Amino acid sequence: MSAVAPSPARDGRPVIELRRITKTYSRGEAEVHALRGVSLVVERGDLVAIMGASGSGKSTLMNIIGCLDVPSRGHFFLDGVDVRTLDEESLARVRNRKIGFVFQSFNLIARTTALSNVELPLAYAGVRGEERRKRALDALAAVGLADRAGHVPSEMSGGQQQRVAVARAIVTNPSLVLADEPTGNLDSASSNEVMGIFSDINAEGRTVVLITHEDDVARFAKRVVRLRDGNIVDDRRVTPVGAPPPRFGTATRDVAVGAP
Ligand SMILES: Nc1ncnc2c1ncn2[C@@H]1O[C@H](COP(=O)(O)OP(=O)(O)OP(=O)(O)O)[C@@H](O)[C@H]1O
Ligand SMILES: [Mg+2]
């Protein structure tokens, strides 16, 4: 890795730190202010849902966090590293090793088995042969699909395909998993199944940030951040479904952490 500027010392370095991030697209003469100065800190092990109306900047924010796009202004620290200091090669390595991506449309390779789909990021990372196969099978087992390893996507339900995509996202053992509307194409039963898996991988210590339009999906999160017109307008800690109830008090959904 190239020389990196650490963020100010913190106890338990946050996995994501955005400081006054703006993103402006030019569209002919017009400028679109997709993000207008977003500051956000995500600690390791959190499960964050990003919500907001269409066009509010959710995907733009996610693409910056995933190092798929760069901000117009502001600083983004990933694991304490100022992403602007990384060259293309280091960025590609970060994307491959540190971050797992899940998309709304699964993005599986159609005529290829679940196993080969899950092996792909390992192939890019240079992992070979038996080791690659074993790790891909372990990832498929982690999403409950060990018995579907030899199936191609068209032989699987949407929920199963998305679980394969989650297996592909975690197979490199990334500390951060990003998902842009991972349940957008799924019925509610499959959505719950996929969200249960996100909860599981979060319980293993992975940080998960996902975009959703659905309250039913956001209720799996520990924190809900709302965007409006490129700004964070709400940011609160919540008690995710399946978690033990809080020991004190009865409030579960209104412990505001305040917008940074
Ligand atoms: N490549 C681009 N060029 C120009 N404008 C863009 C580009 N990408 C996004 N935008 C604009 O930036 C704004 C934010 O877009 P973004 O895709 O982040 O919204 P979103 O919250 O993800 O919406 P949705 O819920 O529909 O996916 C929108 O006004 C959009 O039209
Ligand atoms: Mg979007």
Side-chain angles (χ1 to χ4, degrees), residues 79-93:
D79 265 343
V81 175
D82 186 342
V83 167
R84 275 196 311 198
T85 64
L86 302 179
D87 56 23
E88 257 316 307
E89 199 188 322
S90 310
L91 265 184
R93 200 163 42 221

Side-chain angles (χ1 to χ4, degrees), residues 55 57-60 180-181 211 213:
K58 303 180 299 295
S59 294
T60 302
D180 193 342
E181 299 198 41
I211 292 174
H213 277 115

Side-chain angles (χ1 to χ4, degrees), residues 87-121:
D87 56 23
E88 257 316 307
E89 199 188 322
S90 310
L91 265 184
R93 200 163 42 221
V94 166
R95 280 194 296 263
N96 185 257
R97 308 253 169 103
K98 278 200 179 182
I99 307 176
F101 294 95
V102 178
F103 303 95
Q104 178 172 354
S105 50
F106 321 144
N107 290 11
L108 299 176
I109 297 174
R111 275 177 288 276
T112 301
T113 62
L115 183 64
S116 300
N117 268 285
V118 176
E119 280 187 43
L120 205 58

Side-chain angles (χ1 to χ4, degrees), residues 20 29 36-37 47 71 86 102 136 176 193 198 212 228-229:
R20 294 184 300 280
E29 297 287 279
R36 297 171 185 265
L47 202 177
L86 302 179
V102 178
L176 176 62
E193 218 171 76
F198 279 113
T212 185
R228 187 188 299 147
D229 297 332

